[in-house]
Amino acid sequence: MKNPPVPPVTRALADFVSAIAWDRLPGNVRQEAKLAIADTVAGALAAVREPVAKVALEVVGREAGPARVWGLGMAATARNAAFVNGVLAHAHDIDDTNPSMRGHPSCPVVPAILALAPEAGADGKELIAAYVAGVDVACKLGRAVNMAHYNRGWHTTLTLGTLGAAAASARVLRLDPAQTATALAVGASCASGLVANFGTMTKPVHSGFAAQNGVMAALLARAGVTANPRAIEAGNGFFDLFAGLENVRPELALAGLGERYDLVDPGNIYKQYPTCSLTHCAIDMILDGIAAGSIVPAQVERIECAVGYRCENTLPYHDATTGLEGKFSMEYCLAAALVYGQVGFDEFSDDKVNAPAIRAMHDRIHLYTHPDLRTPESVPHDFTDLVITHTDGRRFHGRESYAKGDPKKRWSPGEFKGKFVRCATPVLGAGKAAGVWDVALRLESLSCAEASALF
């Protein structure tokens, strides 16, 4: 039996992207865009001294151009700046996620739009509109293809992120609907990204690829390259190859387009810890329990942690030996919270992962998939269940579905700013970091030159 006809998703998304404008966006969407853009740059500034940043710069950073590489006092071509900044934005895994996308929407989109801004003359209002367009395209497509796409082992930050970055780049360059459809089609041919590379430098490189792919797709479309105007929905197109047409709900890519923005519904999830978001509920419970006195790390005898279906493939390192593996190890994150009393950037050094106290705590951990969370259908109902037994018999029991930073546990304005200052201070200094945050929150008032030079 043939699959039913698929609606013209590529062109409908292109029409939406071409028409989006700052003055037609709801106020809460504009505000969220500014927060997300600044939060993305925060994570990037925190990563400028990471080994993967050095590698990225060595490969592509020597070709001069008008686009800034954040925090490093240098400039490069648009495509290379997008790549390096994309790598930086995802290097610590502290950038936002979105449930619709099942990935990180901002780390490809923000580097792409800011890299193209000088060439395009895009001011703050145009950058906000382009950001919203890119995130909404990535998230709407995520609604259509997940969980089949995610379950095949594709890293959505690169697959869907490339399409989001292509959409955002097309908007910055003010491409018309036909050109924008071409940019999406070219982006669809660039999409890739293997979950198998989690826990290595290649995971943040995925974000760099997505940002660079998006920039190149839009530039090629502007220059006149041709592509299939139905590349997303066609047979042997994106939907078909990355999820299987029988598993895709293409109507979800168009539902609420221009009316309901995934940026605020369901909303971005902001990250407090530089590790996979699937570990955050457990970390929250442990750190809160320690602060309240209901968990005493020196007296912990056994830790039982029940997780959801996604953790089986996304957190594969049950015996992490490097800091990068530790970011995708529930066992290490549990042990680090208990041993170090915090889970910050310093806790993901190789030395800290391999410390004897971590090994001793690790041996007390029993991790398993909860009986109610063993199928893809359970994902919307995910939770983390934690039981800690002390040597004197006292038990801590907690269950959390939402980590701090989720829309249901919204950060205060001070917490958003605090994260930015914490991340940016080593590069900018505390006073300048606080000032940059304040300016970023009035992005709509900045000229192209001011916006391009902000970070």
Side-chain angles (χ1 to χ4, degrees), residues 26-288:
N28 64 331
V29 174
R30 297 176 188 170
Q31 180 66 16
E32 198 68 20
K34 292 186 289 183
L35 286 170
I37 290 169
D39 182 80
T40 302
V41 177
L45 292 174
V48 296
R49 297 184 180 94
E50 286 297 293
V52 71
K54 180 180 179 182
V55 171
L57 282 168
E58 284 180 354
V59 172
V60 303
R62 303 186 189 281
E63 188 178 347
R68 290 172 66 95
V69 177
W70 304 330
L72 292 173
M74 60 177 292
T77 62
R79 65 179 184 277
N80 286 347
F83 174 76
V84 175
N85 289 336
V87 171
L88 292 174
H90 199 45
H92 277 306
D93 223 294
I94 201 167
D95 49 298
D96 59 34
T97 66
N98 191 289
S100 297
M101 184 181 172
R102 297 293 172 199
H104 299 256
S106 297
C107 60
V109 168
V110 177
I113 61 175
L114 286 172
L116 285 170
E119 175 183 342
D123 62 17
K125 290 180 179 179
E126 290 179 298
L127 291 173
I128 290 169
Y131 171 80
V132 174
V135 168
D136 219 49
V137 165
C139 290
K140 291 287 196 295
L141 289 171
R143 285 177 175 268
V145 299
N146 284 323
M147 290 289 294
H149 180 60
Y150 185 98
N151 288 341
R152 291 187 179 202
W154 294 112
H155 185 199
T156 56
T157 302
L158 179 42
T159 55
L160 299 172
T162 291
L163 290 161
S169 297
R171 176 59 185 81
V172 169
L173 294 176
R174 305 179 188 90
L175 302 189
D176 64 30
Q179 292 172 314
T180 301
T182 296
L184 291 172
V186 174
S189 276
C190 298
S192 185
L194 308 179
V195 168
N197 276 318
F198 282 19
T200 74
M201 288 186 189
T202 297
K203 184 176 191 278
V205 168
H206 285 176
S207 173
F209 282 154
Q212 186 181 58
N213 289 343
V215 166
M216 288 298 294
L219 290 173
L220 287 166
R222 185 179 68 174
V225 76
T226 61
N228 186 339
R230 292 177 55 88
I232 292 175
E233 68 272 16
N236 292 326
F238 182 85
F239 283 163
D240 195 9
L241 297 179
F242 282 88
L245 287 176
E246 69 280 6
N247 300 313
V248 174
R249 297 182 61 190
E251 69 278 6
L252 294 184
L254 307 180
L257 196 60
E259 299 172 357
R260 181 193 50 75
Y261 295 89
D262 286 71
L263 179 60
V264 295
D265 180 13
N268 281 359
I269 299 171
Y270 298 94
K271 299 178 70 175
Q272 186 168 351
Y273 314 113
T275 174
C276 177
S277 59
L278 296 178
T279 68
H280 287 209
C281 284
I283 296 171
D284 280 349
M285 285 188 280
I286 289 175
L287 296 183
D288 287 349

